[in-house]
Amino acid sequence: MTMHGIRCAFLSCLSVLAVFFVCGELRAQQKMNGTDMDHARGILRDARDAVKKHYYLTDYHGLDLDARYQQYDDRVKNARSLGEAFRAIAAFLGGLKDSHTYFIPPMRSSRTDCGFRIQLFGNDAFITQVRPGSDAESKVHPGDQVVHYDTFSVNRTDYRDLFYTFNTLAPQPATQLDLRDPSGTVRQSLVNSRVQTGRKVLDFTFSDDGNDVWQYIREEENQDHVVRQRYVEMEDAMIWKMPEFLLRDDEVDHLFSIVRKHKALILDLRGDPGGAVDTLERMVGNVFDHDVKISDRVGRKEMKPQLAKTIGDHAFTGKIVVLVDSQSASAAELFARVMQLEHRGTVLGDRSSGSVMEAREYSYSQGADTQFYYGFSVTDADLVMSDGKSLEHVGVTPDEIILPTAQDLAARRDPVLARAAELAGAKLDPSQAAKMFPFEWLPF
């Protein structure tokens, strides 16, 4: 079970990797020694075993899993650093080309922040946020198109793997960017990351008066604050910014009790990576007066369909406008597609991520008194919609595709939310819309 008491089946994409307790750190950027080699090979072995035991297809999309394991075991044995070994482990799982099957590496003692955020709009990537006080503040700006990221082209095909490598597997002390500003001028910028060094061994036994435990709790509270549910009531519409699908049933019902006071709901799922099965089902059940099949679940064994049970007479019956973008994934995509297939709402924005499977996360550890933790997300079901199609690698195509321009990003305008307000019968200037839910940085 999760901390919310939601059943442990997740519809969540890569961008919200689970954080594991780490007592002792693997030195990801240092040269390999014998112990590190044994650790890395053990992780790869666990990756193979997790897929063999839990993956939803026993033919692994035609891959010879054991032969592939031997190939990548050789790569790990020849790795020059743990970072390189981790990339080999991730690549081993990447051969499945499955958005929900991936390696969750051990947490590092140091934190790295590049100071900027990038997002795809259509097939192009742009700077969307810059952290105040960072090295990036004077070098990159919202609206800059990212043409190359450390010499790699940035596009929808490679985006996920590129940023998984550089942000999760091997954070960099500096990033080389080739940029094109809104006027068309091209430049290069080397942006230095901020690195915060922590303790290599964390004590969760309370022998240090709980300092490490309380620090961990503070960090989790900061994260919870950033992903809290936010909403604004205006005229006859409620605008609900939903950053993730991780709510208890009573929390969903409470928010819909507010929604029902209005004639229209604008549900902003942009940037929402998904979350829990239960939350998705309760969300759908709150907007239909009858039960709705969300998808058929295809796995190793016969599985029950994913069904949303209506809450009955209390279901919201007003207009629904759903906003999605390239970072909307999994449960967010399923909700949006159900609205289309059932002719219940209008979807606006950009084509969604196409990361739609059902998976579970499995935690592993190595060590005795001092341990390090890692894990794997493994798909246990494909999800087939009522039209007979899966959204994996496809995504949701909005009823109206609306992409902010470089000029919109530079001027802090949100044409997508402004258009949604218009459809909901409200008036909202694009500049006002962009200020409605300000971006919040985690403390660093």
Side-chain angles (χ1 to χ4, degrees):
M1 304 293 285
T2 71
M3 63 182 293
H4 292 282
I6 300 168
R7 82 172 183 263
C8 207
F10 286 86
L11 301 162
S12 179
C13 81
L14 184 64
S15 55
V16 283
L17 297 176
V19 177
F20 290 79
F21 287 105
V22 178
C23 306
E25 185 212 10
L26 289 179
R27 303 173 300 285
Q29 299 306 316
Q30 296 184 16
K31 291 182 179 180
M32 297 276 274
N33 57 38
T35 301
D36 292 338
M37 179 69 70
D38 290 341
H39 287 324
R41 294 184 69 194
I43 294 173
L44 179 64
R45 189 164 51 250
D46 287 339
R48 177 201 60 189
D49 294 346
V51 170
K52 276 192 168 185
K53 184 175 181 179
H54 303 294
Y55 196 63
Y56 81 106
L57 291 178
T58 54
D59 69 351
Y60 315 112
H61 301 287
L63 287 180
D64 185 333
L65 196 68
D66 288 323
R68 186 174 179 84
Y69 167 74
Q70 292 300 327
Q71 175 188 357
Y72 280 84
D73 188 48
D74 288 340
R75 289 194 185 187
V76 170
K77 285 189 288 188
N78 292 320
R80 292 165 295 181
S81 69
L82 272 171
E84 188 175 329
F86 286 174
R87 289 192 290 274
I89 295 164
F92 168 74
L93 295 174
L96 292 166
K97 301 188 184 305
D98 184 313
S99 65
H100 281 56
T101 300
Y102 52 82
F103 171 40
I104 305 170
M107 189 171 67
R108 292 175 172 82
S109 63
S110 61
R111 297 172 58 204
T112 303
D113 181 70
C114 63
F116 57 87
R117 294 293 179 268
I118 298 175
Q119 183 173 337
L120 286 168
F121 296 96
N123 197 46
D124 297 323
F126 293 87
I127 301 290
T128 57
Q129 306 291 339
V130 181
R131 184 188 284 272
S134 66
D135 186 57
E137 186 176 25
S138 63
K139 297 178 178 179
V140 301
H141 311 286
D144 286 341
Q145 182 183 349
V146 182
V147 181
H148 291 96
Y149 185 104
D150 276 348
T151 74
F152 292 94
S153 296
V154 186
N155 53 61
R156 191 177 274 261
T157 302
D158 301 325
Y159 180 89
R160 180 175 176 272
D161 290 340
L162 180 65
F163 287 94
Y164 173 52
T165 298
F166 285 110
N167 292 342
T168 302
L169 296 178
Q172 303 297 301
T175 307
Q176 178 72 49
L177 299 174
D178 291 355
L179 303 168
R180 180 183 292 114
D181 71 19
S183 70
T185 302
V186 177
R187 70 185 191 280
Q188 286 190 336
S189 292
L190 181 66
V191 180
N192 295 310
S193 299
R194 292 176 62 186
V195 180
Q196 186 180 80
T197 302
R199 296 172 58 186
K200 290 185 176 181
V201 178
L202 304 181
D203 185 346
F204 292 111
T205 66
F206 283 90
S207 63
D208 63 346
D209 295 325
N211 290 335
D212 289 338
V213 173
W214 295 120
Q215 178 60 31
Y216 182 83
I217 291 173
R218 283 191 292 270
E219 291 173 359
E220 288 295 289
E221 288 174 343
N222 288 335
Q223 179 66 35
D224 287 344
H225 177 76
V226 168
V227 296
R228 70 193 183 281
Q229 306 290 321
R230 291 187 279 177
Y231 64 89
V232 172
E233 298 175 86
M234 56 179 296
E235 302 178 27
D236 287 331
M238 174 170 151
I239 304 172
W240 176 358
K241 178 68 174 175
M242 189 176 193
E244 61 182 16
F245 276 69
L246 282 176
L247 293 170
R248 299 188 307 269
D249 285 356
D250 63 299
E251 293 173 320
V252 173
D253 293 346
H254 170 69
L255 285 161
F256 270 103
S257 71
I258 303 170
V259 172
R260 288 195 297 272
K261 298 176 183 178
H262 304 276
K263 295 180 179 179
L265 166 65
I266 299 172
L267 185 63
D268 191 345
L269 301 181
R270 291 175 296 177
D272 188 324
V277 168
D278 283 355
T279 303
L280 171 64
E281 292 173 359
R282 195 67 175 185
M283 290 286 294
V284 174
N286 263 277
V287 297
F288 287 94
D289 61 3
H290 58 278
D291 295 349
V292 174
K293 185 172 75 171
I294 297 173
S295 67
D296 287 308
R297 301 164 68 230
V298 180
R300 290 192 178 195
K301 301 180 293 185
E302 184 175 349
M303 306 177 76
K304 292 181 179 180
Q306 186 178 8
L307 182 68
K309 294 187 177 181
T310 179
I311 64 166
D313 294 339
H314 294 295
F316 175 65
T317 59
K319 178 178 288 188
I320 298 176
V321 183
V322 181
L323 310 186
V324 296
D325 63 11
S326 64
Q327 295 179 331
S328 303
S330 215
E333 298 180 87
L334 288 165
F335 184 91
R337 187 60 179 146
V338 168
M339 296 303 104
Q340 290 180 325
L341 291 171
E342 299 292 329
H343 306 289
R344 181 65 183 88
T346 302
V347 180
L348 306 182
D350 194 2
R351 180 165 64 90
S352 64
S353 172
S355 304
V356 187
M357 306 293 268
E358 184 176 288
R360 294 176 185 267
E361 293 173 355
Y362 301 93
S363 178
Y364 292 78
S365 66
Q366 294 185 40
D369 294 335
T370 300
Q371 295 182 307
F372 66 91
Y373 290 75
Y374 53 94
F376 310 99
S377 174
V378 181
T379 294
D380 61 11
D382 190 9
L383 303 175
V384 179
M385 308 298 290
S386 62
D387 61 355
K389 299 177 182 178
S390 170
L391 294 173
E392 179 77 351
H393 304 307
V394 177
V396 177
T397 299
D399 300 300
E400 289 186 34
I401 295 179
I402 307 173
L403 305 180
T405 64
Q407 291 76 16
D408 286 328
L409 297 172
R412 298 296 187 182
R413 296 191 295 261
D414 186 348
V416 184
L417 183 52
R419 172 60 176 155
E422 180 184 357
L423 291 178
K427 292 182 179 179
L428 188 62
D429 179 84
S431 296
Q432 294 175 314
K435 297 175 183 177
M436 192 156 287
F437 302 105
F439 180 84
E440 297 176 339
W441 292 91
L442 282 169
F444 195 88

